[in-house]
């Protein structure tokens, strides 16, 4: 019977829309598995009814703020099926607002991911060309790509301090998030072996517990603290901390500060990424 599927447990015939409604209460992974059951299940599992439920409730507002070009422009995103839109946002973060933030979706959960580009961060002495240089992304090495228009390059500074802030009401509620400092180190660097401190807290809270972080990639693992890991996009990331985003509006503050007041150079800042864990 076209458009219907036999329920093997009861013998009842289920309309495709009913199957789609049931699948919409599962997960993206389950929907992909269900599509292998039969032709009717494949059609139901790929329907807009299902994938609209997996997208964030405010996805339309978010993509309307896209300032990305080409396939990730707001106009291009709006003509995609909801399933195609879901996976496009998983694999292709879009620039939003003034282009210094990006938005993506976690592929397994559908939860929101954000990244604050270097221009969105508060960098001590960041506007002083004696200490920091802003490099256009087009001038980065071939193996490194940035979704943002520019990154921050540390020329020389004694006081290394980088702060980021994000409003919790734009994140997925009832979700535990991790915050990660994304960076690399150029060939000629100086004194980045000296550890830094990273911390995370909600606004108006007392200073969060700081953790030692080693920015230099070849720091021995036996040193207690956070160590960097190479990402698929060839940048390094180091965990700043975790927090649980409930349903109370607040602001999360992330902080990286050098411990010793020695002159440092060679750090290239991409941004801070927040993603569900």
């Amino acid at each position: 019977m076209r458009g219907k599927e036999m329920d093997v447990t009861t013998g009842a015939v289920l309309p495709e829309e009913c199957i789609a409604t049931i699948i919409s209460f599962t997960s993206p992974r389950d929907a992909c598995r269900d599509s292998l059951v039969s032709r009717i299940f494949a059609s139901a599992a790929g329907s807009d009814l299902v994938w609209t439920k997996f997208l964030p409730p405010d996805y339309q507002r978010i993509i309307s703020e896209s300032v990305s070009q080409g396939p990730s422009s707001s106009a291009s995103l709006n003509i995609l099926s909801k399933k195609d839109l879901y996976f496009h946002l998983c694999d292709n973060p879009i620039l939003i607002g003034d282009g210094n933030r990006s938005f993506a979706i976690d592929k397994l959960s559908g939860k929101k991911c954000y990244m604050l580009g270097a221009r969105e961060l508060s960098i001590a002495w960041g506007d002083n060309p004696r200490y920091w240089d802003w490099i256009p992304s087009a001038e980065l090495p071939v193996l490194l790509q940035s979704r943002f228009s520019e990154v921050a390059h540390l020329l020389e500074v004694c006081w290394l301090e980088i702060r980021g802030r994000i409003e919790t009401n734009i994140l997925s509620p009832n979700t535990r998030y991790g915050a990660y400092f994304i960076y690399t180190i150029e060939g000629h660097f100086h004194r980045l072996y000296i550890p830094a401190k990273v911390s995370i807290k909600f606004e108006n809270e007392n200073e969060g517990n700081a953790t030692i972080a080693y920015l230099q990639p070849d720091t021995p693992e036996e040193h207690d603290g956070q160590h960097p890991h190479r990402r698929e996009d060839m940048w390094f990331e180091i965990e700043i901390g975790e927090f649980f985003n409930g349903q109370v509006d607040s602001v999360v503050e992330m902080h990286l500060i050098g411990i010793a007041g020695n002159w440092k150079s060679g750090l290239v800042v991409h941004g801070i990424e927040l993603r569900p864990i």
Side-chain angles (χ1 to χ4, degrees):
M1 192 175 295
R2 186 175 182 182
K4 297 185 179 181
E5 184 75 13
M6 179 71 72
D7 183 338
V8 296
T9 60
T10 66
V13 177
L14 297 177
E16 182 178 319
E17 185 176 354
C18 182
I19 297 172
T21 300
I22 294 171
I23 295 174
S24 73
F25 287 98
T26 61
S27 69
R29 174 181 285 180
D30 289 333
C32 291
R33 289 172 174 168
D34 291 341
S35 68
L36 302 176
V37 172
S38 69
R39 188 174 301 174
I40 298 300
F41 265 71
S43 178
S47 67
D48 281 356
L49 188 157
V50 169
W51 290 91
T52 298
K53 289 288 292 290
F54 296 152
L55 288 163
D58 57 347
Y59 77 91
Q60 291 180 320
R61 178 191 61 78
I62 296 171
I63 64 176
S64 72
E65 298 176 0
S66 174
V67 294
S68 296
Q69 303 299 314
S72 291
S73 67
S74 179
S76 297
L77 295 176
N78 278 318
I79 63 175
L80 296 176
S81 71
K82 296 302 182 286
K83 181 179 179 180
D84 288 344
L85 175 62
Y86 182 97
F87 285 106
H88 183 91
L89 293 175
C90 290
D91 299 329
N92 304 277
I94 61 172
L95 299 179
I96 56 175
D98 58 4
N100 293 325
R101 289 189 179 193
S102 71
F103 168 81
I105 289 177
D106 178 70
K107 186 170 291 186
L108 292 180
S109 67
K111 303 283 188 177
K112 299 176 182 178
C113 306
Y114 282 92
M115 185 168 175
L116 310 179
R119 277 292 187 192
E120 190 77 2
L121 305 178
S122 175
I123 301 177
W125 306 103
D127 293 328
N128 190 322
R130 175 183 173 185
Y131 303 116
W132 289 86
D133 182 26
W134 291 87
I135 304 176
S137 296
E139 297 180 11
L140 288 171
V142 175
L143 292 179
L144 283 179
Q145 294 185 349
S146 173
R147 65 193 66 171
F148 304 107
S149 62
E150 56 186 352
V151 297
H153 171 220
L154 174 58
L155 299 176
E156 185 180 46
V157 75
C158 182
W159 185 258
L160 177 62
E161 183 175 8
I162 300 171
R163 293 178 179 269
R165 292 163 51 90
I166 192 167
E167 308 82 4
T168 60
N169 61 4
I170 69 172
L171 302 174
S172 296
N174 301 316
T175 302
R176 178 164 290 280
Y177 275 89
Y180 304 87
F181 179 61
I182 314 300
Y183 70 101
T184 193
I185 294 176
E186 68 167 0
H188 302 288
F189 63 90
H190 187 58
R191 289 191 171 178
L192 292 180
Y193 63 85
I194 299 173
K197 285 185 178 181
V198 291
S199 62
I200 189 168
K201 71 181 186 70
F202 289 105
E203 187 179 41
N204 299 324
E205 283 186 346
N206 293 328
E207 193 65 33
N209 293 328
T211 302
I212 297 295
Y214 298 93
L215 296 174
Q216 191 163 316
D218 57 359
T219 303
E221 289 286 341
E222 57 264 23
H223 291 198
D224 290 338
Q226 301 288 3
H227 291 261
H229 300 281
R230 178 82 74 173
R231 294 156 51 101
E232 290 184 1
D233 59 10
M234 302 306 291
W235 292 89
F236 288 106
E237 73 173 28
I238 198 161
E239 183 179 330
I240 298 173
E242 302 176 3
F243 66 95
F244 181 77
N245 185 42
Q247 296 185 339
V248 177
D249 291 350
S250 185
V251 174
V252 173
E253 298 179 341
M254 299 146 287
H255 192 194
L256 181 147
I257 184 170
I259 293 177
N262 297 297
W263 290 93
K264 309 166 186 68
S265 65
L267 182 68
V268 179
V269 179
H270 193 195
I272 293 178
E273 187 175 70
L274 297 101
R275 59 179 187 259
I277 54 177

